[in-house]
Structures are given as structure tokens and as C-alpha cells.
């Protein structure tokens, strides 16, 4: 994998229910420090808590880099792609050019994520993160019914990869990988919500990615799994997610990088939970 524009991912597990005090503290931080987003104040609504926690991830990342909040600003392209620009101060011009941090945020159910990379602005913004819980929607429907409801997002080649005779477990896992791949790529190129997912094709056995039938060149797709233990009232529930980071490297071919073990992930994926985030709140605004 390329050493130019190294990729780092932060994954925040919403591993338990939150309190009113925690909601208030997190909402206040985002309200004060993340000017470009206004999350409605609605404590009973877990979706607003997900949005708040997800938008705290860039603050946490910059805090880890020991860069005070007053020394950086959040910028955005016309396509809605975000990057962080630090105050040049005493930085040499060349270093400043390569100090831009492109990032993308995503969340689903109990998992909030941020993919980021550092380098020159026009490169670092081409990053996207796709997160798909390995579960049917709505809850209780069969895998067959769920995969049929998603068929409009897939090409005929992709639909063959999730043929019912492969069994529910394989079908659901493969479907979630395909959806996470498409989501990551769509977000990386800054496409709006109405983009037709069937224009993209990920022929995984052939390691081929296509858009409108033509090869997608120069992309790196990192595919990995996240498993969480989540406390729901008195129960501990295990949840699984298929995750994909898409980044444009400009190489001749597109590459698929599969990460199966925790050991492979630990050098570039950081996992944290609610308690760890709550603990650093006082430092995030400094």
C-alpha cells in the first residue's frame, strides 16, 4: 500500500445507552466547535446522538495531534467534501501544502466512523467511508426479501454474487460488502443522495470496479469488518458491520485490500467507545 497520503480510521462504538447529561455535554461541544453543522437538540432521538458523536471525531483526531481548536479550520469543496486546514504560522510553505487533512464521516446504528488522510488538498478530499450493518431491514424480514428489496442498487453481475442458493449468511454478508463499497465510493466523489447505485459495479471475484460499464481506475478500496458488543437495557447484543474506505490514489489500476484480522487493522484503525469520548470532552474545546 502507498505511503503517500496514509489513511487512518477512527471507529466509535455506541456500546451502551447514553444519559441526558452525556447528551447535553456532547451536543454543547458540537454546537460550540463545529460551526458547519447544526444538530437538532432532541435527547430522546438516538439519531441526533449518533450525529453529535460522529461530528466529535474530527475534534478528537485534532486533539490527538495536539493542535488547539483555534489553530485549525474546517473547509469544504463545492461538492461537500471536507478538509481541515491548519494555521500556517511558522510552517514552511511546502509543509503547509502537505498538511491538509481530508476526512469523511459516516454512521449506522451503533457505529460512528471517520476516515482521514493527510497531504495536498486536491488529493486528500477524495476519501469516503461506507458502513453497513450486517442485518436485514426492516427487522424480521427474510434475507431473500431484503436482498430483493436492494436489487435495484445492483447490476446483474452483482446479483449473481448473491444468488439465494448460496445460503442466507453468505448472501447477507456479500450484499453488505457491495453496499458498503458503493456507499464509500459515492461519498468519496461527493455525489448527492439521489445517485443511481446501479451505475456502479463491483465484480469482487474479478477484483474489478466499473462505473457506467467503464473501469474505475486509480482507486484503493480497503474492506474490513467491525464487531461490537452493545448493551441494550439488560442484554448484551453482538452487532457486525461491513466497512469500506475508498480513496483515489491515481494509480493505473484500482486495488481491493482485504483486512481480516484485528492485527492487520491495529496499525490504521482506532476503536473507541462512548466512555472514552466522554472522558476527553473537556480537552476537545481547548
Amino acid at each position: 500500500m502507498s505511503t503517500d497520503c496514509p489513511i487512518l480510521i477512527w471507529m466509535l462504538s455506541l456500546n451502551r445507552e447514553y444519559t441526558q447529561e452525556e447528551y447535553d455535554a456532547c451536543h454543547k461541544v458540537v454546537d460550540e466547535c463545529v460551526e458547519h453543522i447544526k444538530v437538532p437538540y432532541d435527547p430522546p432521538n438516538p439519531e441526533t446522538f449518533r450525529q453529535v458523536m460522529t461530528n466529535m471525531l474530527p475534534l478528537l483526531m485534532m486533539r490527538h495531534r495536539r493542535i488547539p481548536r483555534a489553530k485549525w479550520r474546517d473547509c469544504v469543496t463545492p461538492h461537500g467534501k471536507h478538509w481541515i486546514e491548519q494555521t500556517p504560522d511558522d510552517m514552511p510553505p511546502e509543509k503547509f501544502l502537505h498538511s491538509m487533512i481530508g476526512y469523511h464521516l459516516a454512521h449506522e446504528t451503533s457505529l460512528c466512523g471517520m476516515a482521514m488522510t493527510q497531504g495536498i488538498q486536491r488529493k486528500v478530499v477524495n476519501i469516503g467511508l461506507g458502513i453497513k450493518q450486517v442485518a436485514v431491514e426492516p427487522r424480521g424480514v427474510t434475507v431473500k426479501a431484503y436482498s430483493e428489496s436492494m436489487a435495484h442498487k445492483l447490476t446483474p453481475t452483482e446479483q449473481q454474487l448473491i444468488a439465494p442458493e448460496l445460503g442466507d449468511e453468505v448472501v447477507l454478508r456479500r450484499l453488505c460488502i457491495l453496499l458498503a463499497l458503493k456507499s464509500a465510493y459515492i461519498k468519496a466523489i461527493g455525489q448527492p443522495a439521489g445517485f443511481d447505485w446501479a451505475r456502479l459495479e463491483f465484480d469482487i471475484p474479478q477484483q474489478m470496479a466499473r462505473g457506467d460499464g467503464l473501469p474505475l481506475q486509480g482507486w484503493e478500496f480497503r474492506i474490513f469488518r467491525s464487531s461490537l458488543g452493545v448493551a441494550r437495557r439488560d442484554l448484551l447484543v453482538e452487532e457486525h458491520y461491513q466497512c469500506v474506505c475508498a480513496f483515489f490514489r491515481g494509480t493505473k489500476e484500482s486495488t481491493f485490500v482485504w483486512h481480516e484480522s484485528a492485527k492487520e487493522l491495529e496499525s490504521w484503525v482506532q476503536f473507541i467507545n462512548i466512555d472514552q469520548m466522554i472522558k476527553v470532552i473537556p480537552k476537545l474545546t481547548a
Side-chain angles (χ1 to χ4, degrees), residues 121-285:
Q121 188 269 344
R122 64 183 169 79
K123 283 188 177 181
V124 299
V125 292
N126 302 310
I127 194 166
L129 181 64
I131 299 175
K132 189 76 196 76
Q133 186 178 4
V134 183
V136 295
E137 295 171 49
R139 223 179 288 180
V141 301
T142 63
V143 169
K144 188 172 186 293
Y146 176 56
S147 60
E148 283 170 1
S149 75
M150 291 289 142
H152 65 286
K153 295 186 171 186
L154 307 178
T155 67
T157 299
E158 290 169 334
Q159 287 179 39
Q160 286 175 0
L161 299 175
I162 58 161
E165 58 268 22
L166 293 165
D168 284 356
E169 194 181 327
V170 171
V171 168
L172 187 58
R173 190 183 75 246
R174 287 186 177 183
L175 175 59
C176 292
I177 291 171
L178 289 168
L179 295 174
L181 277 162
K182 294 189 179 207
S183 174
Y185 175 78
I186 290 166
K187 298 298 192 317
I189 60 173
Q191 283 294 337
F195 186 86
D196 178 7
W197 290 37
R199 289 173 58 187
L200 300 174
E201 179 172 273
F202 289 92
D203 186 346
I204 293 170
Q206 300 300 319
Q207 302 275 298
M208 276 294 292
R210 300 181 187 91
D212 296 327
L214 300 170
L216 297 177
Q217 292 176 313
W219 286 87
E220 178 183 282
F221 299 101
R222 297 193 186 191
I223 302 141
F224 63 100
R225 228 170 117 92
S226 296
S227 297
L228 315 177
V230 181
R232 297 247 180 271
R233 294 187 176 86
D234 299 331
L235 291 176
L236 187 67
V237 181
E238 196 171 16
E239 294 178 355
H240 303 285
Y241 296 82
Q242 266 322 143
C243 309
V244 175
C245 177
F247 182 59
F248 184 71
R249 292 215 177 267
T251 48
K252 200 173 171 191
E253 304 293 330
S254 282
T255 56
F256 291 80
V257 185
W258 298 80
H259 294 271
E260 299 296 338
S261 70
K263 189 96 185 107
E264 289 174 302
L265 291 181
E266 64 185 24
S267 63
W268 62 283
V269 181
Q270 171 102 20
F271 286 95
I272 59 167
N273 60 30
I274 292 183
D275 293 334
Q276 289 165 299
M277 182 64 103
I278 301 293
K279 215 164 137 185
V280 296
I281 284 177
K283 297 175 179 174
L284 296 184
T285 51

Side-chain angles (χ1 to χ4, degrees), residues 59-73:
L59 299 173
L60 180 65
M61 182 251 308
M62 295 306 282
R63 170 67 204 166
H64 264 248
R65 290 172 169 239
R66 291 181 164 63
I67 301 167
R69 181 63 191 93
K71 295 277 188 182
W72 59 272
R73 65 191 184 108

